Amino acid sequence: MSTPLVVAATVVAVVLAALGGLSTALRRRIGTAHLAGTAVLELLLLVQLGVAVAALAGGDRPEDLPTFLAYLVSVVLLPVAGVLWARSEPTRWAGTVLGVAALAVAVMLWRLLDLWEVTGG
């Protein structure tokens, strides 16, 4: 796990959540900015996934490997699920859906980092 990648992804996730909240407050559906922000977040998450898989292949393992792997896979899928749900939401709440998914990603990333560092990875 890379702490700078976690920080970068967290910043993007928080900005995306704020953008989602703003679009909800303005009673607008999500647009290109939301999708671009989600794409940047997903790219960072995929790079983090690659770093983690490389470390696991190199022999580094957290003690609670099943939990770590579940978080790792889930955090990569969550922005995609958030965008799909938000795109299907015909009301102003689409931004809130995407914002909640982005905030969940931010929290999950720090939990992943905690699992990696505390348990000996």
Side-chain angles (χ1 to χ4, degrees):
M1 290 292 296
S2 168
T3 303
L5 276 174
V6 169
V7 170
T10 300
V11 168
V12 171
V14 169
V15 168
L16 185 59
L19 187 59
L22 180 63
S23 65
T24 298
L26 295 175
R27 297 176 182 252
R28 300 218 189 311
R29 292 195 59 180
I30 63 169
T32 306
H34 297 87
L35 298 178
T38 305
V40 170
L41 179 60
E42 187 66 24
L43 178 64
L44 289 169
L45 293 174
L46 289 172
V47 171
Q48 185 67 275
L49 174 68
V51 168
V53 168
L56 288 170
D60 291 335
R61 298 234 193 287
E63 286 180 22
D64 194 0
L65 185 61
T67 301
F68 179 81
L69 292 175
Y71 268 88
L72 190 62
V73 171
S74 298
V75 79
V76 171
L77 295 176
L78 193 55
V80 175
V83 163
L84 291 175
W85 187 2
R87 295 284 292 176
S88 70
E89 180 63 42
T91 67
R92 69 179 177 144
W93 296 105
T96 301
V97 168
L98 192 55
V100 168
L103 289 177
V105 165
V107 170
M108 289 175 73
L109 280 171
W110 287 98
R111 177 66 180 135
L112 262 172
L113 187 63
D114 183 52
L115 282 169
W116 185 258
E117 290 179 348
V118 172
T119 59

